[in-house]
Amino acid sequence: MEFLFLLIAFVFGLGFRFIGLPPLIGYLIAGFVLNAWGFENNASLQQIADLGITIMLFTIGLKLNINDLLKREIWLSSILHTTLWIAIVSTAFFLFSFLGLPYISDLSNETIALIGFAFSFSSTVCVVKILEESGESRTRHGKVAIGILVMQDIFAVLFLVAATGKIPSPWALALLLLIPLTPLFRKLLDQSGHGELLPLTGFIFALGGYHLFEFVGVKGDLGALTFGVLMAGHVKANELAKSLLSFKDLFLIGFFLTIGLTALPTLEIAGIAMLITLLLPIKFMLFFTLFTQFRLRARTSYLSGLIMSNYSEFGLIVGAVAVSVGMLDKIWLVILALSVSFSFVFTSAIYRTSHNSYKKHKEFLKRYQKPSPLKEDVYPSMQGTRVLVIGMGRVGKGAFTTLAKLMENGVTGMDADLDKVSALKELDYNAILGDGENIDLWENVNISKVELVLLALPSIQDSSNITHQLRSAGFKGKIAAIARYEDEVAPLMDVGVDKVFNFFTEAGLGFAEESFELLESTP
């Protein structure tokens, strides 16, 4: 049966990929199709889904800087958004009740507030997956979104404790000992090597954290996230996250299937779910307003708000707990599941054109931007830059350090990840913080003296977007980019890239050339 589930998920996922939509939409629909055929969720599939969420939370923790959560634009925005959203949903349901809609007209005020709380969450699974697929998890708007998601996860844990009356064990205080034990955990990661033992180490930390927290009466998901945070900043944290990526994506297919297998909706239920989905633009506007009021730039506020405009799997968890304690009718679990599914489709489809839509409407959106940005949003200086390397991953950093030695000055490295930029600055390299896909950046910095831009980015879509924006901003210099596969070369050349280096071909060529020098030097 599990093979059939995977086969149907593959067919629908591949089908949606062919029409240019994210495969996760196909997985959701596959779940509803299986439900219509009479299949039900089972323990094996649910275990796979839970494992996917656990690994995902652990990898989020690996990339999380706890100081980000202490910023006012994160914690206060989260609190205000949840509070205001509950008020908005309560008002909307009050108006819907006058229409005599089924499942709504007879709800009490307390139940409406609970439903509003369930719908206040944004989907960690959906947001993180879209950010990773677009290569934006370390950008400014990606970090803001992830910070809000973590705060919402904390709200969910507090609700579950209050609703179930399940007080953590006194032994939960012993979890504080994890902090002094962190050096030991990091030492274990040091010894894990680079092969199959590395992802196995990740599984041990993620599942160990989950079960440890469950053992002392604290939600296990928080344990997986906490262990990830403890390992964040380690030199191998990024490598560990990448080693778990394929496992996480595979297990999360089970999660998307379980949403569709929750229950088979009727036409009335689908109508109510669609009506609730129509509230998503309001959710976006609320996020956008709060972010701009806290002095985030219009582009960051727009992209963060847009990707957060969905409903969450945590809403389903909250709803299930509320049903179990008699606070909510079980029919609302079906409505929640369907609304979550619709919202995933909405976010996945609309975010694909988010950068272009911002460029189209940026003059209008920037009217709501505060005149004095936050410190981390101040545009960098390109003074003295002749060669600009965008993307400080392994390839970009290698190109940057080599050019810096050859040219001595005039080479600048740029990345959206503050940690990478700070590390390079500590080595006295000229590195600046910036998001290459930010059209506002190129319109507000002087790039007239830049002669060459190297795009060391894994996504050709990102490289294409940056190339288009550079040319639109009047850049007359040369642009070089990397490609991982042969079929990625032509699309990059078509958008204006002057030279494309096939990563694997060029690596082999360089290896051969340098090795041949050994042969020539042999007496």
Side-chain angles (χ1 to χ4, degrees), residues 73-74 77 81 139-145 148 281 283-309 351 354 358 362 365-370 373-374 377 379 435 438 440:
E73 63 266 25
I74 301 297
S77 290
H81 180 271
T139 60
R140 176 72 164 134
H141 61 274
K143 287 186 175 181
V144 169
I148 299 290
K283 193 171 192 179
F284 159 74
M285 288 188 287
L286 181 56
F287 270 125
F288 179 81
T289 301
L290 288 171
F291 290 151
T292 52
Q293 288 301 307
F294 286 114
R295 296 168 53 202
L296 290 173
R297 289 194 180 275
R299 179 179 180 273
T300 302
S301 302
Y302 178 77
L303 295 177
S304 298
L306 201 60
I307 202 168
M308 297 288 285
S309 299
Y351 195 75
S354 58
Y358 171 75
K362 65 185 178 71
L365 294 169
K366 287 168 74 171
R367 297 178 188 175
Y368 301 94
Q369 180 176 285
K370 295 294 183 181
L374 295 171
D377 291 331
Y379 293 125
D435 182 357
N438 184 355
D440 293 337

Side-chain angles (χ1 to χ4, degrees), residues 296-490:
L296 290 173
R297 289 194 180 275
R299 179 179 180 273
T300 302
S301 302
Y302 178 77
L303 295 177
S304 298
L306 201 60
I307 202 168
M308 297 288 285
S309 299
N310 47 62
Y311 301 129
S312 172
E313 60 281 356
F314 275 109
L316 289 172
I317 297 172
V318 168
V321 171
V323 169
S324 68
V325 296
M327 299 171 65
L328 192 65
D329 190 280
K330 64 180 181 179
I331 198 66
W332 274 96
L333 273 182
V334 186
I335 297 175
L336 276 163
L338 204 57
S339 298
V340 169
S341 302
F342 288 159
S343 74
F344 282 11
V345 175
F346 173 84
T347 304
S348 300
I350 202 168
Y351 195 75
R352 292 173 65 243
T353 60
S354 58
H355 294 280
N356 289 332
S357 62
Y358 171 75
K359 183 178 178 181
K360 182 178 179 180
H361 303 292
K362 65 185 178 71
E363 295 305 324
F364 170 76
L365 294 169
K366 287 168 74 171
R367 297 178 188 175
Y368 301 94
Q369 180 176 285
K370 295 294 183 181
S372 57
L374 295 171
K375 180 181 178 181
E376 51 264 61
D377 291 331
V378 175
Y379 293 125
S381 172
M382 298 284 184
Q383 185 175 1
T385 300
R386 293 178 55 204
V387 178
L388 176 65
V389 182
I390 302 178
M392 290 290 99
R394 285 178 294 180
V395 177
K397 186 177 178 181
F400 171 77
T401 52
T402 300
L403 287 169
K405 293 176 182 177
L406 293 173
M407 298 179 62
E408 293 186 1
N409 54 56
V411 182
T412 300
M414 187 174 80
D415 200 282
D417 185 350
L418 178 60
D419 295 334
K420 290 180 181 178
V421 173
S422 300
L424 288 170
K425 284 184 175 180
E426 290 178 359
L427 297 174
D428 293 327
Y429 286 120
N430 184 24
I432 58 175
L433 183 68
D435 182 357
E437 289 193 89
N438 184 355
I439 183 62
D440 293 337
L441 171 68
W442 304 120
E443 293 180 351
N444 286 276
V445 297
N446 184 3
I447 54 176
S448 60
K449 303 298 183 181
V450 179
E451 301 171 20
L452 172 64
V453 173
L454 276 65
L455 303 177
L457 303 167
S459 168
I460 64 165
Q461 186 61 49
D462 293 345
S463 296
S464 298
N465 289 340
I466 295 174
T467 300
H468 177 71
Q469 290 170 9
L470 280 168
R471 298 305 188 194
S472 298
F475 179 64
K476 303 298 183 182
K478 300 296 185 179
I479 300 177
I482 61 172
R484 293 175 297 173
Y485 307 103
E486 192 62 36
D487 60 359
E488 294 179 340
V489 175

Side-chain angles (χ1 to χ4, degrees), residues 37-310:
W37 288 349
F39 291 98
E40 297 179 353
N41 193 9
N42 58 54
S44 298
L45 186 62
Q46 188 61 53
Q47 192 171 22
I48 292 174
D50 293 341
L51 184 57
I53 293 176
T54 300
I55 297 299
M56 181 196 66
L57 288 171
F58 176 70
T59 56
I60 289 176
L62 288 172
K63 302 175 183 178
L64 185 66
N65 185 342
I66 198 67
N67 291 327
D68 290 340
L69 301 182
L70 303 179
K71 296 177 180 178
R72 192 177 64 151
E73 63 266 25
I74 301 297
W75 68 266
L76 190 51
S77 290
S78 303
I79 294 173
L80 289 176
H81 180 271
T82 300
T83 304
L84 294 173
W85 178 255
I86 292 174
I88 290 171
V89 171
S90 298
T91 302
F93 274 40
F94 177 74
L95 296 176
F96 292 160
S97 65
F98 285 106
L99 301 176
L101 295 177
Y103 313 118
I104 292 180
S105 56
D106 57 346
L107 294 175
S108 66
N109 293 333
E110 292 78 8
T111 304
I112 290 176
L114 176 60
I115 293 172
F117 179 68
F119 281 117
S120 69
F121 299 98
S122 297
S123 172
T124 303
V125 174
C126 182
V127 171
V128 172
K129 191 164 183 60
I130 292 175
L131 285 173
E132 287 181 345
E133 288 178 350
S134 57
E136 299 176 10
S137 59
R138 306 289 296 207
T139 60
R140 176 72 164 134
H141 61 274
K143 287 186 175 181
V144 169
I146 290 175
I148 299 290
L149 290 170
V150 173
M151 290 300 301
Q152 290 181 347
D153 291 349
I154 294 173
F155 298 160
V157 171
L158 294 176
F159 169 81
L160 295 176
V161 171
T164 60
K166 183 182 177 182
I167 305 299
S169 164
W171 286 102
L173 293 173
L175 294 175
L176 295 174
L177 294 175
L178 292 174
I179 298 176
L181 287 174
T182 300
L184 174 61
F185 300 147
R186 290 171 171 254
K187 186 67 174 178
L188 291 174
L189 184 56
D190 282 330
Q191 300 300 316
S192 62
H194 305 281
E196 71 281 354
L197 191 58
L198 182 62
L200 179 59
T201 303
F203 272 84
I204 294 300
F205 281 137
L207 295 177
Y210 181 96
H211 291 294
L212 179 62
F213 274 56
E214 284 283 336
F215 181 75
V216 296
V218 182
K219 196 169 185 296
D221 290 336
L222 186 60
L225 178 67
T226 299
F227 266 70
V229 171
L230 293 175
M231 307 307 296
H234 189 281
V235 67
K236 294 179 67 174
N238 190 47
E239 182 184 356
L240 177 58
K242 288 181 178 180
S243 72
L244 294 171
L245 184 62
S246 296
F247 294 104
K248 172 178 67 68
D249 288 344
L250 182 61
F251 293 143
L252 283 177
I253 294 174
F255 167 77
F256 292 117
L257 290 176
T258 58
I259 292 181
L261 289 167
T262 300
L264 191 63
T266 63
L267 195 58
E268 282 185 340
I269 291 174
I272 296 298
M274 181 59 71
L275 189 62
I276 295 173
T277 305
L278 293 177
L279 297 176
L280 286 176
I282 300 177
K283 193 171 192 179
F284 159 74
M285 288 188 287
L286 181 56
F287 270 125
F288 179 81
T289 301
L290 288 171
F291 290 151
T292 52
Q293 288 301 307
F294 286 114
R295 296 168 53 202
L296 290 173
R297 289 194 180 275
R299 179 179 180 273
T300 302
S301 302
Y302 178 77
L303 295 177
S304 298
L306 201 60
I307 202 168
M308 297 288 285
S309 299
N310 47 62

